[in-house]
């Protein structure tokens, strides 16, 4: 059961979107979003058909095992005259309906998997759990993050880093679509998680990198890769935000440099002019950012991912392969460019 009340058809619903499209851990039985209930996820994510309901009580007959709180306090918004108005809240400042649904889930014996900034396992809910019932707070800091070493002594895996020009622009979708394409081609591939959705869809190793002190973030990414790279031929690492983002550029650069990638796929929406939830800040120049990503990361940007065939045409001029990873053959186009640059041959058939 995914809780995405009020945001499922908004960019703030990205965690729920990712779980429905790509999770190897959860099988969603329904999505809670009063603004779209009753309905189906197909209206938001074509090709999917998960019921959208108004509350947990509507689907108890499906016997859900867990409630995944697939948003954070900062994702909160209110609808007025059919328009979604983003109204982020502070950690722990939960709307009453959110509290009601979480408490209802605990009373009915469901596990709670929470993306909230507030750690629910440290609240009174922990005293209400039954035997074998658990609360898992996804956004926990990594214990004792290591320092960055800069070593490039990998025994097996090639690494593809997925960078982008902004937040919520499709980096995770591109990375996971390429992983799926690699699987279809018989390539032994894996995924390094760097954020909450990555952890919930299933990854070989991962951490919430934005909970790590910035001077240890690159070292943590390096460590996550080192711990599993001998088990895979190919690893995908999703970046966060943008290296030119005034607020999050340090995080984006740390993940990029920590990944020590062999090739980079860059994600961009040419129609976006202002930064996501930072409307007073313009998007950086595409060519400038690509060059900067190459300089900071030491690996070439080999392809550009975008959404929609119209955007693909808008970006043809940059001289790199451009594709929509959600269209037929799109993820293969991106993957093939990355494999060629990384020097990883396709398996023989």
């Amino acid at each position: 059961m995914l809780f995405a009340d009020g945001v499922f058809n908004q960019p703030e619903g990205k965690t729920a979107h990712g779980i429905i499209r790509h999770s190897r851990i959860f099988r969603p039985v329904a999505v809670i979003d009063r603004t779209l209930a009753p309905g189906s996820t197909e209206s938001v994510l074509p090709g999917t058909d998960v019921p959208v309901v108004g509350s947990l009580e509507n689907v108890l007959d499906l016997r859900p095992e867990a409630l995944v709180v697939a948003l954070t306090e900062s994702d909160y918004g209110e609808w007025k005259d059919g328009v979604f108005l983003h109204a982020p809240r502070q950690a722990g400042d939960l709307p009453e309906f959110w509290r009601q649904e979480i408490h209802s889930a605990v009373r009915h014996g469901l596990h709670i998997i929470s993306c909230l900034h507030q750690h629910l396992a440290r609240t009174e809910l922990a005293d209400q759990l039954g035997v074998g019932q658990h609360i898992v707070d996804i956004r926990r800091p990594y214990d004792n993050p290591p320092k960055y070493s800069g070593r490039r002594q990998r025994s097996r895996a090639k690494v593809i880093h997925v960078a982008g020009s902004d937040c919520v622009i499709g980096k995770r979708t591109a990375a996971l679509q390429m992983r799926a394409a690699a699987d279809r081609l018989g390539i032994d591939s894996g995924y390094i998680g760097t954020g909450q959705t990555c952890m919930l869809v299933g990854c070989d190793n991962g951490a919430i990198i934005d909970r790590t002190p910035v001077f240890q973030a690159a070292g943590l990414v390096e460590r996550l890769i080192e711990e599993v790279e001998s088990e895979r031929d190919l690893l995908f690492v999703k970046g966060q935000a943008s290296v030119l983002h005034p607020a999050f550029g340090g995080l984006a650069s740390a993940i990029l440099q920590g990944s020590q990638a062999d090739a980079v796929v860059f994600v961009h929406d040419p129609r976006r002019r202002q930064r996501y939830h930072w409307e007073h800040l313009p998007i950086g120049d595409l060519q400038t950012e690509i060059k900067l990503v190459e300089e900071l990361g030491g690996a070439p940007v080999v392809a550009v991912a975008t959404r929609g065939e119209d955007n693909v045409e808008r970006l043809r001029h940059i001289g790199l392969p451009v594709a929509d990873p959600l269209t037929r053959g799109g993820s293969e186009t991106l993957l093939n460019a990355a494999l060629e640059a990384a020097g990883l041959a396709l398996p023989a058939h």
Side-chain angles (χ1 to χ4, degrees):
M1 170 69 63
L2 302 179
F3 185 82
D5 190 57
V7 305
F8 186 67
N9 64 347
Q10 298 297 309
E12 288 77 8
K14 62 182 179 177
T15 294
H17 300 170
I19 293 172
I20 291 171
R21 276 195 173 125
H22 296 119
S23 185
R24 302 186 180 191
I25 301 175
F26 299 103
R27 182 180 64 83
V29 297
V31 175
I32 297 175
D33 186 338
R34 292 172 294 172
T35 62
L36 299 176
S40 166
T41 58
E42 198 278 336
S43 64
V44 177
L45 303 177
T48 70
D49 188 18
V50 177
V52 179
V53 299
S55 74
L56 176 63
E57 296 286 341
N58 297 134
V59 288
L60 287 175
D61 59 323
L62 296 178
R63 302 194 177 204
E65 297 176 355
L67 177 72
V68 178
V69 184
L71 36 58
T72 72
E73 297 91 331
S74 59
D75 293 324
Y76 178 73
E78 299 175 350
W79 288 85
K80 185 175 182 179
D81 299 327
V83 177
F84 180 76
L85 302 175
H86 184 233
R89 295 187 171 212
Q90 295 297 313
D93 182 17
L94 305 186
E96 184 58 30
F97 180 70
W98 294 23
R99 291 189 182 277
Q100 291 174 0
E101 291 296 286
I102 294 170
H103 280 262
S104 176
V106 171
R107 287 197 306 273
H108 285 97
L110 277 68
H111 303 297
I112 306 296
I113 317 296
S114 174
C115 293
L116 294 172
H117 293 286
Q118 179 187 37
H119 288 178
L120 297 179
R122 298 176 182 173
T123 69
E124 74 282 358
L125 286 170
D127 298 326
Q128 302 171 25
L129 298 176
V131 176
Q133 189 180 12
H134 300 286
I135 294 175
V136 178
D137 290 304
I138 294 296
R139 296 189 58 80
R140 300 188 308 271
Y142 189 93
D143 292 333
N144 301 315
K147 293 182 179 180
Y148 180 68
S149 74
R151 292 188 296 270
R152 295 181 61 93
Q153 300 173 355
R154 296 194 180 115
S155 61
R156 181 178 174 186
K158 299 291 186 179
V159 174
I160 308 303
H161 181 89
V162 182
S165 57
D166 199 14
C167 308
V168 194
I169 205 160
K171 294 185 288 292
R172 172 182 40 79
T173 297
L176 292 173
Q177 288 292 111
M178 284 192 288
R179 182 180 69 168
D183 289 346
R184 291 192 294 270
L185 292 170
I187 298 172
D188 190 356
S189 65
Y191 187 49
I192 302 297
T194 60
Q196 64 190 36
T197 309
C198 304
M199 307 292 284
L200 292 170
V201 301
C203 55
D204 292 61
N205 210 358
I208 309 298
I209 305 299
D210 66 13
R211 294 300 310 276
T212 305
V214 68
F215 67 92
Q216 293 172 305
L220 179 52
V221 174
E222 180 185 52
R223 170 70 60 81
L224 295 174
I225 294 172
E226 285 179 346
E227 289 178 345
V228 299
E229 67 88 14
S230 64
E231 303 169 9
R232 299 289 192 182
D233 291 324
L234 185 66
L235 287 172
F236 295 95
V237 181
K238 172 195 172 283
Q240 299 284 338
S242 154
V243 297
L244 285 178
H245 197 299
F248 307 126
L251 174 65
S253 299
I255 297 173
L256 171 66
Q257 294 174 318
S259 70
Q260 300 172 47
D262 297 284
V264 177
V265 172
F266 194 84
V267 185
H268 181 63
D269 181 353
R271 296 170 302 182
R272 190 179 293 191
R273 295 289 180 262
Q274 287 80 36
R275 295 198 178 278
Y276 171 73
H277 287 332
W278 298 71
E279 290 78 8
H280 59 294
L281 298 176
I283 291 288
D285 175 70
L286 175 61
Q287 297 285 14
T288 298
E289 183 149 11
I290 286 177
K291 291 179 181 178
L292 185 57
V293 165
E294 292 180 330
E295 291 178 3
L296 288 171
V301 172
V302 298
V304 174
T306 191
R307 187 66 57 82
E309 288 303 315
D310 54 341
N311 279 345
V312 171
E313 292 305 316
R314 288 187 179 99
L315 292 170
R316 292 287 188 200
H317 69 279
I318 65 175
L320 294 171
V322 182
D324 180 343
L326 288 174
T327 61
R328 184 180 180 87
S331 55
E332 285 80 5
T333 296
L334 301 170
L335 177 64
N336 288 340
L339 293 177
E340 182 177 356
L344 185 61
L346 293 176
H349 292 284

